[in-house]
Amino acid sequence: MSSQGPHSDKNCKGTFREKLLIIGSNLGVEDVEHLKFLCIGLVPHKKLEKSSSASDVFEHLLAEDLLSDSDPFFLAELLYIIGQKKLLQYLNYTKEKVEQLLPAQRRVSLFRNLLYEVSEGIDKEKLKDMIFLLGDLLPKTEMTSLGLLAFLEKQDKIDEDNLTYLEDLCKMVVPNLLRNIEKYKREKATQIGIPPVDKEAESLYQGEEELFSQTEVKTFLEALPEESWQNKHARSDSNRATNGAPSLVSRGMQGASADFPNFETSTKGAAVYRMNRKHRGHCVIVNNYSFTSLRDRRGTYKDAEILKRVFNWLGFRVCTYNNVTRGHMEKVLQEQKCNPDHVNGDCFVFCILTHGKFGAVYSSDEALIPIREIMSHFTALQCPGLAEKPKLFFIQACQGDEIQPSVSIEADALNPEQQPASLQGILQDSIPVEADFLLGLATVPGYVSFRDVQEGSWYIQSLCNRLKTLVPRREDILSILTAVNNDVSRRADKQGTKKQMPQPAFTLRKKLVFPVPLDALSL
């Protein structure tokens, strides 16, 4: 069966836009509304509201880099979901090929897919019953089943982690749809598979150039709480040997055992965090694209996508949240803080892609949230399941007013003409007074952090590519971040005048070495 490639049907020939025009001409008004609904969270809401035709929607997908001649899969996914499978031929796909690729390449979230399925199961009579039950809560306008669910979502009555309101409504009117909700919960809990661990050790990558002077290293160390790096949290238990104060610039491990039976003491001369529990751990990605008044963060979905793929590959259970409000962020933090799965996990990762200021990040409704407040949810006292386990936070965030972008580059950091805050102050305000934390910032004070509007940010793209290449060589996380610093510091904008230097700060007590996945990863 040929699932992708040129079809013999003459209607499939022509330019890409001609094919899109043909697809659009076969979609009705209702189909367009369905496409708009499925694109919520991926395309700015204001743009979707103004879209009145399939061509409008396609134009937005092209502008947001969600659709291209070389990669039309997202549109194929949308057509598949709304039942327009015959139109897949114009994108050189078949129903079977889409079904095969969906688990790895889906862009529509399980939650949005659930709402669409539920809307399709509500007929006109059942819709009338629901509207009657909701009474004054709803606006006095004609409403479709999909419009009803979109309204409940907008009013924060339902979200991907809270379906109680919808369940109660379905229980009263269409109880058979409870099966869809239960299926969603199961899929959400098990959607991330855990790749097996390869115990075959390889030679270690050596020789990354040191990027900070001894004076800078001393400044970084002094900025960390003394009790965090002086091994205060170390115990006498022989199974938990520590390695003194952590270094803020890692030059790579000097040797490794041929296999990792314990993974806590398998590196010569250095303790290593255990990486052989039931699962690797959870990775949370907060991806904010659109805001109330701040500029849209074009290219951020490239960062979110590559982070998800890389941390999936490393064995993490990845959950992505788009355009997160202050209230939703608090829900996410509380849910992760209380997650019972942490007990059986090795590690925890939290990535934030958004606008921000020194020591704080913006929610999509433009509330400023201190980084320290976010990280403090995961101390040993607040989250016992993560005690003595590495907790990694990677933050790609703007630092003040954006500078005027060139053709394909946007600033994701402070205005370089503003007076930067001190690095010591940032670290003191951000890192909890506790061991086992790592904070990876996209930039240090005085430097601009860049985000390519087509390819994503320099920092996140380098981080993911370095994880891909150096994890199989048994590099520890600090050596990997040193390589990231080297990559990003060598880049410049088109004029060659604007540079960037990422900044890792940490209170790790041991080396963090991710087990090598058996499967190769192509980025």
Side-chain angles (χ1 to χ4, degrees):
M1 176 183 66
S2 177
S3 55
Q4 194 167 359
H7 285 255
S8 59
D9 190 333
K10 64 180 181 180
N11 291 328
C12 294
K13 297 180 179 178
T15 68
F16 185 57
R17 282 186 175 270
E18 287 172 349
K19 294 176 184 178
L20 294 182
L21 189 62
I22 294 172
I23 292 172
S25 67
N26 283 276
L27 298 175
V29 174
E30 193 175 77
D31 292 320
V32 173
E33 292 304 309
H34 293 175
L35 290 178
K36 289 164 61 175
F37 177 82
L38 293 171
C39 289
I40 292 175
L42 297 172
V43 175
H45 187 68
K46 291 178 181 178
K47 292 182 179 179
L48 290 176
E49 281 185 336
K50 294 177 181 178
S51 301
S52 59
S53 66
S55 295
D56 289 340
V57 176
F58 298 160
E59 199 65 65
H60 295 320
L61 296 183
L62 290 166
E64 300 298 327
D65 297 321
L66 294 168
L67 176 63
S68 66
D69 191 4
S70 60
D71 184 13
F73 181 76
F74 180 52
L75 179 54
E77 178 185 357
L78 295 175
L79 294 175
Y80 176 84
I81 292 173
I82 68 174
Q84 293 287 355
K85 299 179 177 66
K86 288 184 179 179
L87 298 179
L88 293 173
Q89 61 180 314
Y90 297 103
L91 301 174
N92 295 333
Y93 280 97
T94 64
K95 176 175 73 74
E96 291 76 16
K97 185 62 176 180
V98 173
E99 290 172 347
Q100 177 188 340
L101 294 174
L102 265 179
Q105 296 189 29
R106 74 164 64 244
R107 301 292 290 272
V108 178
S109 69
L110 291 175
F111 173 64
R112 196 139 310 280
N113 202 67
L114 166 70
L115 295 188
Y116 181 79
E117 287 180 357
V118 170
S119 74
E120 289 292 281
I122 302 173
D123 60 29
K124 289 184 178 180
E125 293 304 314
K126 300 299 184 184
L127 177 60
K128 287 180 182 178
D129 292 343
M130 285 187 170
I131 292 174
F132 176 78
L133 281 174
L134 295 173
D136 294 337
L137 176 66
L138 301 178
K140 303 301 181 184
T141 57
E142 189 174 341
M143 190 172 281
T144 64
S145 56
L146 202 59
L148 171 65
L149 296 175
F151 179 81
L152 293 178
E153 182 185 11
K154 191 173 182 180
Q155 296 297 311
D156 291 327
K157 297 292 184 183
I158 57 175
D159 60 45
E160 60 186 344
D161 299 311
N162 182 14
L163 295 169
T164 304
Y165 199 91
L166 181 60
E167 287 175 306
D168 292 342
L169 200 56
C170 289
K171 200 176 297 182
M172 289 288 293
V173 182
V174 270
N176 61 297
L177 291 179
L178 292 173
R179 290 196 297 268
N180 297 70
I181 298 174
E182 289 305 314
K183 178 187 173 189
Y184 160 78
K185 290 179 178 179
R186 289 195 301 271
E187 288 179 343
K188 186 172 184 290
T190 60
Q191 64 179 335
I192 306 303
I194 304 175
V197 175
D198 179 13
K199 292 186 177 180
E200 186 68 26
E202 298 181 15
S203 61
L204 296 171
Y205 180 74
Q206 301 290 335
E208 283 301 323
E209 180 182 357
E210 186 166 340
L211 296 175
F212 300 104
S213 68
Q214 292 302 312
T215 301
E216 288 172 317
V217 171
K218 183 174 183 292
T219 301
F220 298 160
L221 283 172
E222 289 173 349
L224 295 173
E226 186 175 357
E227 56 267 47
S228 294
W229 60 265
Q230 283 190 332
N231 213 19
K232 180 178 178 179
H233 294 273
R235 309 262 174 88
S236 58
D237 190 333
S238 61
N239 289 327
R240 296 174 49 243
T242 61
N243 199 33
S247 167
L248 275 152
V249 179
S250 174
R251 297 296 298 272
M253 294 188 298
Q254 300 304 310
S257 151
D259 86 22
F260 292 79
N262 189 323
F263 231 96
E264 199 169 84
T265 56
S266 57
T267 302
K268 293 179 181 179
V272 178
Y273 282 105
R274 177 181 171 186
M275 286 281 152
N276 62 354
R277 294 180 179 85
K278 289 184 179 180
H279 62 86
R280 189 72 58 243
H282 288 267
C283 171
V284 176
I285 302 171
V286 171
N287 177 39
N288 289 341
Y289 171 89
S290 58
F291 300 81
T292 307
S293 60
L294 296 173
R295 177 184 294 177
D296 290 346
R297 299 184 64 254
R298 295 185 296 162
T300 189
Y301 287 107
K302 289 287 186 180
D303 286 346
E305 181 180 358
I306 196 172
L307 282 169
K308 180 176 180 179
R309 290 176 64 191
V310 167
F311 282 103
N312 276 345
W313 174 67
L314 291 174
F316 286 85
R317 300 174 178 178
V318 180
C319 193
T320 303
Y321 301 92
N322 293 313
N323 297 323
V324 177
T325 63
R326 173 63 194 248
H328 191 191
M329 175 69 93
E330 186 57 35
K331 282 185 181 179
V332 171
L333 293 172
Q334 289 297 331
E335 177 184 306
Q336 288 299 324
K337 181 177 78 171
C338 302
N339 193 334
D341 283 352
H342 291 322
V343 173
N344 296 314
D346 296 320
C347 184
F348 178 68
V349 177
F350 202 107
C351 307
I352 303 176
L353 315 172
T354 187
H355 288 306
K357 290 185 178 180
F358 283 113
V361 294
Y362 278 111
S363 61
S364 65
D365 55 352
E366 298 184 12
L368 204 54
I369 307 172
I371 295 171
R372 182 184 181 86
E373 178 183 319
I374 294 169
M375 298 176 72
S376 66
H377 285 74
F378 304 100
T379 62
L381 182 63
Q382 294 293 323
C383 185
L386 288 175
E388 302 178 11
K389 299 175 184 179
K391 296 162 278 282
L392 315 181
F393 293 77
F394 297 105
I395 296 178
Q396 170 66 40
C398 306
Q399 302 292 296
D401 297 332
E402 293 187 343
I403 61 173
Q404 182 66 35
S406 59
V407 174
S408 60
I409 297 292
E410 287 188 352
D412 220 5
L414 78 163
N415 185 322
E417 296 181 0
Q418 292 180 346
Q419 183 66 30
S422 71
L423 175 60
Q424 184 168 343
I426 294 171
L427 294 178
Q428 286 176 336
D429 287 343
S430 299
I431 296 284
V433 186
E434 180 154 334
D436 307 311
F437 279 89
L438 181 145
L439 172 61
L441 297 172
T443 184
V444 295
Y447 288 84
V448 175
S449 173
F450 286 111
R451 169 173 32 86
D452 189 296
V453 299
Q454 293 183 338
E455 300 301 328
S457 67
W458 294 357
Y459 175 62
I460 295 298
Q461 296 296 316
S462 174
L463 171 65
C464 291
N465 277 290
R466 283 298 187 173
L467 285 168
K468 175 198 170 186
T469 57
L470 298 184
V471 164
R473 300 165 94 164
R474 301 288 185 188
E475 278 286 7
D476 69 289
I477 189 64
L478 299 181
S479 298
I480 291 171
L481 290 178
T482 302
V484 172
N485 279 9
N486 192 33
D487 290 344
V488 177
S489 68
R490 293 175 183 273
R491 297 191 63 169
D493 71 331
K494 289 188 174 182
Q495 287 73 41
T497 59
K498 300 179 179 70
K499 303 283 287 184
Q500 177 182 339
M501 174 64 77
Q503 169 55 51
F506 61 90
T507 57
L508 299 179
R509 297 172 296 113
K510 307 174 185 179
K511 287 187 179 292
L512 173 54
V513 183
F514 289 118
V516 181
L518 288 178
D519 299 328
L521 176 68
S522 63
L523 297 179

